[in-house]
mmCIF file of all heavy atoms in Angstrom:
data_model
loop_
_atom_site.group_PDB
_atom_site.id
_atom_site.type_symbol
_atom_site.label_atom_id
_atom_site.label_comp_id
_atom_site.label_asym_id
_atom_site.label_seq_id
_atom_site.Cartn_x
_atom_site.Cartn_y
_atom_site.Cartn_z
ATOM 1 N N GLU A 383 -15.701 -4.805 50.960
ATOM 2 C CA GLU A 383 -14.892 -3.649 50.523
ATOM 3 C C GLU A 383 -14.564 -2.793 51.740
ATOM 4 O O GLU A 383 -15.224 -2.944 52.770
ATOM 5 C CB GLU A 383 -15.657 -2.878 49.445
ATOM 6 C CG GLU A 383 -15.650 -3.658 48.139
ATOM 7 C CD GLU A 383 -16.392 -2.963 46.980
ATOM 8 O OE1 GLU A 383 -17.491 -2.413 47.213
ATOM 9 O OE2 GLU A 383 -15.887 -3.015 45.862
ATOM 10 N N PRO A 384 -13.607 -1.856 51.691
ATOM 11 C CA PRO A 384 -12.794 -1.436 50.545
ATOM 12 C C PRO A 384 -11.765 -2.470 50.095
ATOM 13 O O PRO A 384 -11.246 -3.218 50.909
ATOM 14 C CB PRO A 384 -12.099 -0.182 51.066
ATOM 15 C CG PRO A 384 -12.013 -0.372 52.547
ATOM 16 C CD PRO A 384 -13.255 -1.131 52.932
ATOM 17 N N TRP A 385 -11.518 -2.405 48.743
ATOM 18 C CA TRP A 385 -10.592 -3.356 48.130
ATOM 19 C C TRP A 385 -9.299 -2.683 47.665
ATOM 20 O O TRP A 385 -9.335 -1.571 47.170
ATOM 21 C CB TRP A 385 -11.256 -4.007 46.896
ATOM 22 C CG TRP A 385 -12.202 -5.122 47.250
ATOM 23 C CD1 TRP A 385 -12.539 -5.540 48.498
ATOM 24 C CD2 TRP A 385 -12.923 -5.945 46.326
ATOM 25 N NE1 TRP A 385 -13.445 -6.581 48.439
ATOM 26 C CE2 TRP A 385 -13.696 -6.855 47.083
ATOM 27 C CE3 TRP A 385 -13.004 -6.018 44.942
ATOM 28 C CZ2 TRP A 385 -14.531 -7.813 46.511
ATOM 29 C CZ3 TRP A 385 -13.835 -6.960 44.366
ATOM 30 C CH2 TRP A 385 -14.585 -7.867 45.146
ATOM 31 N N ASP A 386 -8.235 -3.411 47.807
ATOM 32 C CA ASP A 386 -6.977 -2.974 47.200
ATOM 33 C C ASP A 386 -6.307 -4.179 46.535
ATOM 34 O O ASP A 386 -6.947 -5.230 46.384
ATOM 35 C CB ASP A 386 -6.063 -2.306 48.242
ATOM 36 C CG ASP A 386 -5.741 -3.261 49.387
ATOM 37 O OD1 ASP A 386 -5.924 -4.494 49.206
ATOM 38 O OD2 ASP A 386 -5.315 -2.799 50.460
ATOM 39 N N GLN A 387 -5.035 -4.043 46.180
ATOM 40 C CA GLN A 387 -4.348 -5.125 45.446
ATOM 41 C C GLN A 387 -4.186 -6.401 46.266
ATOM 42 O O GLN A 387 -3.883 -7.449 45.726
ATOM 43 C CB GLN A 387 -2.952 -4.657 44.986
ATOM 44 C CG GLN A 387 -2.909 -4.100 43.574
ATOM 45 C CD GLN A 387 -3.349 -2.652 43.513
ATOM 46 O OE1 GLN A 387 -3.709 -2.059 44.541
ATOM 47 N NE2 GLN A 387 -3.359 -2.089 42.324
ATOM 48 N N GLU A 388 -4.404 -6.304 47.587
ATOM 49 C CA GLU A 388 -4.225 -7.487 48.450
ATOM 50 C C GLU A 388 -5.430 -8.426 48.405
ATOM 51 O O GLU A 388 -5.334 -9.586 48.798
ATOM 52 C CB GLU A 388 -4.002 -7.067 49.915
ATOM 53 C CG GLU A 388 -2.888 -6.046 50.126
ATOM 54 C CD GLU A 388 -1.569 -6.537 49.592
ATOM 55 O OE1 GLU A 388 -1.238 -7.722 49.829
ATOM 56 O OE2 GLU A 388 -0.876 -5.749 48.899
ATOM 57 N N VAL A 389 -6.558 -7.901 47.928
ATOM 58 C CA VAL A 389 -7.806 -8.670 48.007
ATOM 59 C C VAL A 389 -7.732 -9.975 47.218
ATOM 60 O O VAL A 389 -8.177 -11.033 47.673
ATOM 61 C CB VAL A 389 -8.990 -7.812 47.511
ATOM 62 C CG1 VAL A 389 -10.246 -8.657 47.383
ATOM 63 C CG2 VAL A 389 -9.220 -6.686 48.472
ATOM 64 N N TRP A 390 -7.170 -9.880 46.044
ATOM 65 C CA TRP A 390 -7.103 -11.064 45.166
ATOM 66 C C TRP A 390 -6.408 -12.231 45.880
ATOM 67 O O TRP A 390 -6.916 -13.354 45.900
ATOM 68 C CB TRP A 390 -6.388 -10.701 43.865
ATOM 69 C CG TRP A 390 -6.041 -11.863 42.984
ATOM 70 C CD1 TRP A 390 -4.812 -12.390 42.786
ATOM 71 C CD2 TRP A 390 -6.939 -12.638 42.185
ATOM 72 N NE1 TRP A 390 -4.867 -13.443 41.903
ATOM 73 C CE2 TRP A 390 -6.169 -13.625 41.517
ATOM 74 C CE3 TRP A 390 -8.319 -12.603 41.964
ATOM 75 C CZ2 TRP A 390 -6.740 -14.561 40.650
ATOM 76 C CZ3 TRP A 390 -8.876 -13.535 41.095
ATOM 77 C CH2 TRP A 390 -8.088 -14.511 40.458
ATOM 78 N N GLY A 391 -5.263 -11.969 46.484
ATOM 79 C CA GLY A 391 -4.499 -13.024 47.153
ATOM 80 C C GLY A 391 -5.283 -13.612 48.315
ATOM 81 O O GLY A 391 -5.369 -14.850 48.483
ATOM 82 N N ALA A 392 -5.888 -12.721 49.102
ATOM 83 C CA ALA A 392 -6.628 -13.178 50.281
ATOM 84 C C ALA A 392 -7.840 -14.021 49.852
ATOM 85 O O ALA A 392 -8.120 -15.104 50.405
ATOM 86 C CB ALA A 392 -7.083 -11.970 51.093
ATOM 87 N N TRP A 393 -8.517 -13.502 48.822
ATOM 88 C CA TRP A 393 -9.737 -14.203 48.368
ATOM 89 C C TRP A 393 -9.411 -15.580 47.783
ATOM 90 O O TRP A 393 -10.005 -16.590 48.161
ATOM 91 C CB TRP A 393 -10.457 -13.323 47.328
ATOM 92 C CG TRP A 393 -11.671 -13.936 46.695
ATOM 93 C CD1 TRP A 393 -12.696 -14.572 47.331
ATOM 94 C CD2 TRP A 393 -11.988 -13.964 45.296
ATOM 95 N NE1 TRP A 393 -13.649 -14.993 46.435
ATOM 96 C CE2 TRP A 393 -13.229 -14.625 45.164
ATOM 97 C CE3 TRP A 393 -11.365 -13.485 44.144
ATOM 98 C CZ2 TRP A 393 -13.846 -14.828 43.916
ATOM 99 C CZ3 TRP A 393 -11.990 -13.686 42.918
ATOM 100 C CH2 TRP A 393 -13.211 -14.351 42.809
ATOM 101 N N THR A 394 -8.432 -15.631 46.873
ATOM 102 C CA THR A 394 -8.149 -16.913 46.216
ATOM 103 C C THR A 394 -7.587 -17.926 47.222
ATOM 104 O O THR A 394 -7.796 -19.137 47.078
ATOM 105 C CB THR A 394 -7.179 -16.731 45.020
ATOM 106 O OG1 THR A 394 -6.055 -15.976 45.456
ATOM 107 C CG2 THR A 394 -7.851 -16.036 43.863
ATOM 108 N N ALA A 395 -6.942 -17.446 48.294
ATOM 109 C CA ALA A 395 -6.468 -18.373 49.329
ATOM 110 C C ALA A 395 -7.686 -19.037 50.009
ATOM 111 O O ALA A 395 -7.714 -20.257 50.230
ATOM 112 C CB ALA A 395 -5.624 -17.625 50.354
ATOM 113 N N ARG A 396 -8.702 -18.219 50.254
ATOM 114 C CA ARG A 396 -9.923 -18.779 50.869
ATOM 115 C C ARG A 396 -10.610 -19.771 49.930
ATOM 116 O O ARG A 396 -11.086 -20.823 50.357
ATOM 117 C CB ARG A 396 -10.928 -17.662 51.145
ATOM 118 C CG ARG A 396 -10.575 -16.804 52.329
ATOM 119 C CD ARG A 396 -11.824 -16.024 52.694
ATOM 120 N NE ARG A 396 -11.479 -14.699 53.175
ATOM 121 C CZ ARG A 396 -12.358 -13.712 53.369
ATOM 122 N NH1 ARG A 396 -13.650 -13.916 53.086
ATOM 123 N NH2 ARG A 396 -11.980 -12.548 53.818
ATOM 124 N N VAL A 397 -10.678 -19.401 48.627
ATOM 125 C CA VAL A 397 -11.370 -20.276 47.666
ATOM 126 C C VAL A 397 -10.601 -21.598 47.528
ATOM 127 O O VAL A 397 -11.204 -22.671 47.443
ATOM 128 C CB VAL A 397 -11.527 -19.574 46.287
ATOM 129 C CG1 VAL A 397 -12.204 -20.494 45.274
ATOM 130 C CG2 VAL A 397 -12.311 -18.274 46.423
ATOM 131 N N ARG A 398 -9.271 -21.496 47.532
ATOM 132 C CA ARG A 398 -8.458 -22.714 47.434
ATOM 133 C C ARG A 398 -8.753 -23.651 48.610
ATOM 134 O O ARG A 398 -8.983 -24.846 48.445
ATOM 135 C CB ARG A 398 -6.973 -22.341 47.414
ATOM 136 C CG ARG A 398 -6.071 -23.569 47.260
ATOM 137 C CD ARG A 398 -4.591 -23.273 47.506
ATOM 138 N NE ARG A 398 -4.083 -22.242 46.617
ATOM 139 C CZ ARG A 398 -3.502 -21.111 47.023
ATOM 140 N NH1 ARG A 398 -3.381 -20.863 48.329
ATOM 141 N NH2 ARG A 398 -3.064 -20.240 46.163
ATOM 142 N N GLU A 399 -8.795 -23.048 49.789
ATOM 143 C CA GLU A 399 -9.047 -23.834 50.998
ATOM 144 C C GLU A 399 -10.419 -24.497 50.955
ATOM 145 O O GLU A 399 -10.573 -25.678 51.250
ATOM 146 C CB GLU A 399 -8.997 -22.882 52.199
ATOM 147 C CG GLU A 399 -8.326 -23.458 53.420
ATOM 148 C CD GLU A 399 -8.117 -22.337 54.421
ATOM 149 O OE1 GLU A 399 -7.144 -21.564 54.239
ATOM 150 O OE2 GLU A 399 -8.956 -22.215 55.313
#
Side-chain angles (χ1 to χ4, degrees):
E383 287 180 317
W385 280 3
D386 59 18
Q387 266 82 359
E388 308 303 316
V389 171
W390 170 254
W393 176 47
T394 50
R396 285 195 215 169
V397 178
R398 182 191 302 123
E399 219 169 280

